[in-house]
Amino acid sequence: MPTLAITNFNIVLAVLGGWISLFGLVSYLLKENYYLSEALISLLAGVAVSPPAANLIRPLEYTGGSAENVDVVTLSFSRLVLGVQLVLAGVQLPSRYLRKEWRPLAILLGPIMVSMWLATSLLVWGLVPGTGFLHALAIGACVTPTDPILSNVIVKGKFADHNVPKELQRIIIAESGANDGLGYPFLFFALYLIKYVGGGYQSAAGGAGRAMALWFGETWGYTILLSVVYGAVVGWVAKELLHWAEERKFVDRESFLVFAISLALFITGTCGMIGSDDVLACFIAGNVFTWDDWFRLETLDDSLQPTIDMLLNVSIFMWYGIVCPWSSFAHNDVIPLYRLAPLGILVLLFRRLPWAFSIHKLIPQIEEVHQAIFVGFFGPIGVSAIFYLYIAVEFVHTLDVDGQPRADVQNLAETIRVVVWFLAICSIVVHGLSIPLGKLGFYLPRTISGGVTTASAGDQDSTVPLRIGNRVSSLITHRIPFRWNTESSPAEPVRRDVYRIGGAVIPARREEGHTAGKGPMPNGQAAIADEGLTIAFPDELPSRTTPSTSK
């Protein structure tokens, strides 16, 4: 007897496949016509199937009931998506882009990024009760990088093609790719000081000197510089090997197209094993891989990379909608909702916009004031923030003393989790809706004004009503084209009425017994009168055998 196998694996496949298929049916409509981001739509889909809602996807059951295992899965998934996305971001940039545009990038990754970090940290310090400044610096560091996935809404698609100059698109891609990997120094500056200074008598031995030695040596030396060198070497070797194989016709088209994806997987795995910055290494490798622009131009019109990109984006944000601690926003021990909501608004307003606007004249790609406001506003918080969130929580758990949380960091993990998740959700929603709402606000007044003007003009128009037998009693469409009367003056137009009946358009002719330019009317077709503008059909004239004109 056949039996139902409603297992977790089958449910996950059915839900994920069904959602991607349904989204694909209307993806062009939603993204290109309504400018909605796939991140926001997928997040809402994840909420719908999460345990608090439909309970179709149950992460705790998949991880043996351990919340820590769910965190590990979320961190690993985020690493995977960031690795692939940043290799593709590096591939999108033109030849030698990082070397040519190092000055504007240095401004965006230096003063702008530091200002974003400090501004967010000050807001967190001021609004989260009982949070020390070092703790606020750690939270601010998590949301400092801009997200390359959410940035796609302004660098890809019809909106970007029509509204964002190419050079501005490229600098946004380069910034979001590079600053994701540069979040480590900001985060570990705060975490090392918390470990060696912030705990008072429970602090680790070594003090501030030990903290700074680790920050310079381990974070900058081993994590950042090693990842840059490693990414550049792997990217260059991969480029030369692919050139060599392609010249000898050793590689088929499918393997050629997927090479960048496999490169991202390799770098993410190997950097993870040695403990370096896999996110930054992936971006550097992607850019070096296309240093001569060969691979980028060869795959410019290919759809495989955007397809993988879309699948990962939809999946990761659906997962975020499932695992996000929604209930903790209203019920937690660290910050009430009436403080959390203003924090989200203030961070979106002051985290990036004032600083990007203040020095936009130093960045050649930002030519106008409205572009500076646009770049300042679109600094989304997304996958990279969730990635650093779990890096920070993992580090905080290492500060336990005798199996118990250290007194000064007892609530730090919960604070980071609640605040960073809330800020990420705010950014996904606000930046996902800002373009469609902006378009609506731009066109709605014009549409209303145009409708009022048209209605006023229509009231003054003496349009002759049209009857089609007893079926229709009003004129549906009235159009007045022009036909020049050669018998009088060539500059004097002759009025010619055109009437729409259903899906057909029948223009009136002045010549008796003719249709619209097609010769005499055969029996059984409608006749058009010159006067009265009434069209009669044979079945409406029971006393006659041939159609005629009713007046």
Side-chain angles (χ1 to χ4, degrees):
M1 289 282 300
T3 58
L4 294 177
I6 308 179
T7 63
N8 287 329
F9 181 72
N10 290 338
I11 293 174
V12 170
L13 291 184
V15 171
L16 181 61
W19 165 245
I20 293 177
S21 300
L22 289 174
F23 174 72
L25 293 175
V26 292
S27 57
Y28 185 86
L29 176 69
L30 296 175
K31 293 194 294 185
E32 301 297 339
N33 288 1
Y34 297 128
Y35 304 106
L36 291 170
S37 71
E38 58 196 19
L40 173 60
I41 301 169
S42 299
L43 179 78
L44 297 177
V47 175
V49 300
S50 65
N55 197 28
L56 293 176
I57 307 297
R58 299 177 286 271
L60 281 175
E61 289 189 14
Y62 313 150
T63 56
S66 172
E68 291 183 1
N69 290 339
V70 175
D71 293 348
V72 171
V73 171
T74 305
L75 174 60
S76 301
F77 197 3
S78 302
R79 281 184 60 221
L80 171 64
V81 173
L82 283 175
V84 174
Q85 287 282 356
L86 292 179
V87 166
L88 296 182
V91 168
Q92 292 175 33
L93 297 175
S95 172
R96 298 171 173 82
Y97 187 83
L98 296 182
R99 189 178 71 181
K100 294 176 182 177
E101 302 296 340
W102 69 269
R103 287 185 178 85
L105 276 176
I107 296 173
L108 291 170
L109 299 176
I112 294 293
M113 204 169 175
V114 172
S115 300
M116 291 166 62
W117 175 43
L118 294 177
T120 306
S121 301
L122 288 172
L123 290 172
V124 171
W125 187 39
L127 287 173
V128 181
T131 299
F133 187 63
L134 289 179
H135 296 182
L137 287 176
I139 297 171
C142 293
V143 298
T144 295
T146 56
D147 189 69
I149 301 171
L150 294 176
S151 297
N152 284 343
V153 71
I154 58 170
V155 297
K156 291 182 181 179
K158 186 168 67 174
F159 175 83
D161 294 339
H162 292 172
N163 299 278
V164 185
K166 281 293 183 184
E167 287 303 317
L168 188 57
Q169 293 179 29
R170 288 167 180 164
I171 199 68
I172 292 173
I173 292 173
E175 182 204 6
S176 62
N179 69 12
D180 272 16
L182 292 175
Y184 273 99
F186 299 98
L187 178 61
F188 278 90
F189 177 85
L191 292 180
Y192 283 143
L193 286 177
I194 291 172
K195 179 177 180 179
Y196 290 97
V197 177
Y201 72 94
Q202 290 184 320
S203 299
R210 175 66 175 166
M212 291 298 97
L214 286 173
W215 186 64
F216 281 107
E218 188 170 314
T219 303
W220 280 104
Y222 190 80
T223 304
I224 300 299
L225 295 180
L226 178 62
S227 67
V228 171
V229 174
Y230 182 76
V233 170
V234 173
W236 184 83
V237 171
K239 172 178 69 71
E240 294 299 320
L241 288 175
L242 190 60
H243 267 295
W244 178 84
E246 201 274 337
E247 289 172 356
R248 290 160 178 78
K249 307 300 180 184
F250 288 169
V251 59
D252 60 12
R253 183 64 180 172
E254 292 78 11
S255 300
F256 182 87
L257 295 176
V258 82
F259 200 84
I261 307 296
S262 60
L263 180 64
L265 299 179
F266 175 78
I267 294 174
T268 302
T270 52
C271 271
M273 287 189 287
I274 65 177
S276 190
D277 187 352
D278 47 0
V279 176
L280 184 58
C282 283
F283 176 70
I284 297 297
N287 193 251
V288 173
F289 184 60
T290 55
W291 199 251
D292 56 0
D293 239 10
W294 171 65
F295 185 82
R296 184 180 73 89
L297 296 176
E298 286 289 327
T299 58
L300 195 60
D301 299 324
D302 177 69
S303 60
L304 176 62
Q305 293 176 10
T307 301
I308 301 296
D309 181 27
M310 185 273 293
L311 288 174
L312 290 174
N313 293 349
V314 169
S315 301
I316 188 66
F317 283 101
M318 192 174 184
W319 178 256
Y320 286 167
I322 295 168
V323 301
C324 177
W326 299 100
S327 61
S328 66
F329 297 154
H331 307 286
N332 61 77
D333 297 327
V334 291
I335 179 172
L337 187 59
Y338 68 85
R339 285 177 174 263
L340 192 60
L343 176 62
I345 297 172
L346 292 174
V347 166
L348 292 180
L349 289 176
F350 297 106
R351 164 176 164 265
R352 176 180 172 89
L353 179 57
W355 327 115
F357 183 81
S358 62
I359 60 173
H360 73 275
K361 293 182 179 180
L362 302 178
I363 303 173
Q365 289 82 358
I366 305 177
E367 299 175 348
E368 306 290 341
V369 172
H370 70 273
Q371 291 179 357
I373 298 174
F374 177 77
V375 172
F377 177 72
F378 271 96
I381 304 168
V383 178
S384 54
I386 305 303
F387 170 76
Y388 284 114
L389 182 161
Y390 289 108
I391 293 290
V393 169
E394 191 178 74
F395 184 90
V396 170
H397 287 325
T398 66
L399 303 181
D400 294 349
V401 178
D402 298 329
Q404 297 297 323
R406 212 172 69 181
D408 62 304
V409 296
Q410 187 171 4
N411 295 323
L412 179 56
E414 184 183 6
T415 305
I416 294 174
R417 193 185 303 269
V418 172
V419 172
V420 175
W421 264 115
F422 185 79
L423 294 178
I425 296 299
C426 288
S427 178
I428 294 169
V429 173
V430 170
H431 291 114
L433 292 176
S434 55
I435 292 178
L437 291 179
K439 285 285 185 180
L440 181 64
F442 180 77
Y443 287 114
L444 188 59
R446 296 187 175 191
T447 303
I448 295 175
S449 176
V452 171
T453 304
T454 304
S456 302
D459 293 340
Q460 300 173 2
D461 186 18
S462 59
T463 303
V464 181
L466 171 66
R467 283 193 306 108
I468 305 176
N470 296 322
R471 303 178 185 178
V472 180
S473 60
S474 62
L475 180 62
I476 301 174
T477 304
H478 183 71
R479 297 166 58 190
I480 306 178
F482 292 96
R483 178 169 57 86
W484 299 110
N485 186 356
T486 56
E487 297 178 358
S488 58
S489 171
E492 182 181 354
V494 176
R495 171 173 165 167
R496 180 182 175 195
D497 297 313
V498 179
Y499 305 104
R500 181 181 299 276
I501 306 174
V505 176
I506 302 178
R509 295 276 297 184
R510 302 301 179 191
E511 295 82 9
E512 188 179 68
H514 286 72
T515 57
K518 295 186 179 180
M521 295 181 299
N523 291 336
Q525 292 189 5
I528 303 176
D530 188 61
E531 297 179 0
L533 302 177
T534 304
I535 301 174
F537 290 88
D539 60 349
E540 296 167 348
L541 302 170
S543 62
R544 302 181 185 181
T545 57
T546 58
S548 62
T549 304
S550 63
K551 299 186 179 180

